[in-house]
Amino acid sequence: MRIAGGVLFLIVGLWSLVSGGCSLVGGTAVKAGSGGVAKLNKELAKSAKASGAKVKINKEAMKNLKKAGSMGTGLMVYGIVALLASILCIIAGIMLFLNKGKMLAFIAGGLGILGEVIFFAMITFSILGVIKIVLYGIGAAGGTGVKQS
């Protein structure tokens, strides 16, 4: 069971490494982009008012910009947690091969599950997230096969 858990931890660790890095970079870009557009919109309204032109600011668009900014923050938080979980999963997978690191397997699996729950709560529900939760759980269960010396 520990070998299977180690293999699953390595697979889900590499998967989370890629998804966490992409989410961190993408979340940063979304947050910066939405903030930049909001500032540009305010400056445009200010300069139009100074020149005497009438500008109608779309309230719904501004609300959507705020939602995009909070979604970017959620992606950044998920990216950080997923990167931490991926590093722990890779280390735990290697340790399970060496018949060590029982508690590390439980911690890595728990942190990975926590990261996916954060993704569900702050961003959206996804079937791939459920698959990752199952892999984290099975990998953590592989830690029970480690013999204490």
Side-chain angles (χ1 to χ4, degrees), residues 57-117:
I57 297 175
N58 190 342
K59 300 291 183 191
E60 187 175 337
M62 292 302 289
K63 190 187 316 182
N64 288 337
L65 277 174
K66 287 181 182 178
K67 283 183 184 178
S70 67
M71 185 176 172
T73 303
L75 275 172
M76 288 171 31
V77 169
Y78 166 71
I80 291 169
V81 174
L83 284 174
L84 291 174
S86 69
I87 292 168
L88 283 177
C89 281
I90 291 170
I91 294 169
I94 293 169
M95 294 301 282
L96 286 178
F97 288 140
L98 300 174
N99 200 23
K100 296 181 180 179
K102 184 175 190 174
M103 286 309 296
L104 182 62
F106 297 143
I107 292 170
L111 186 61
I113 291 171
L114 177 69
E116 293 303 317
V117 169

Side-chain angles (χ1 to χ4, degrees), residues 11-147:
I11 291 169
V12 77
L14 292 174
W15 186 4
S16 293
L17 188 67
V18 171
S19 70
C22 290
S23 294
L24 184 61
V25 170
T28 305
V30 167
K31 180 131 176 87
S34 66
V37 170
K39 286 180 186 175
L40 181 65
N41 196 5
K42 287 179 185 175
E43 290 297 321
L44 178 64
K46 192 187 295 183
S47 64
K49 189 175 184 181
S51 67
K54 287 191 174 186
V55 174
K56 183 178 176 185
I57 297 175
N58 190 342
K59 300 291 183 191
E60 187 175 337
M62 292 302 289
K63 190 187 316 182
N64 288 337
L65 277 174
K66 287 181 182 178
K67 283 183 184 178
S70 67
M71 185 176 172
T73 303
L75 275 172
M76 288 171 31
V77 169
Y78 166 71
I80 291 169
V81 174
L83 284 174
L84 291 174
S86 69
I87 292 168
L88 283 177
C89 281
I90 291 170
I91 294 169
I94 293 169
M95 294 301 282
L96 286 178
F97 288 140
L98 300 174
N99 200 23
K100 296 181 180 179
K102 184 175 190 174
M103 286 309 296
L104 182 62
F106 297 143
I107 292 170
L111 186 61
I113 291 171
L114 177 69
E116 293 303 317
V117 169
I118 287 172
F119 185 78
F120 291 161
M122 296 184 85
I123 312 297
T124 187
F125 179 79
S126 73
I127 297 299
L128 291 177
V130 173
I131 293 170
K132 285 172 73 174
I133 286 175
V134 169
L135 291 177
Y136 282 125
I138 294 172
T144 60
V146 174
K147 305 286 188 258

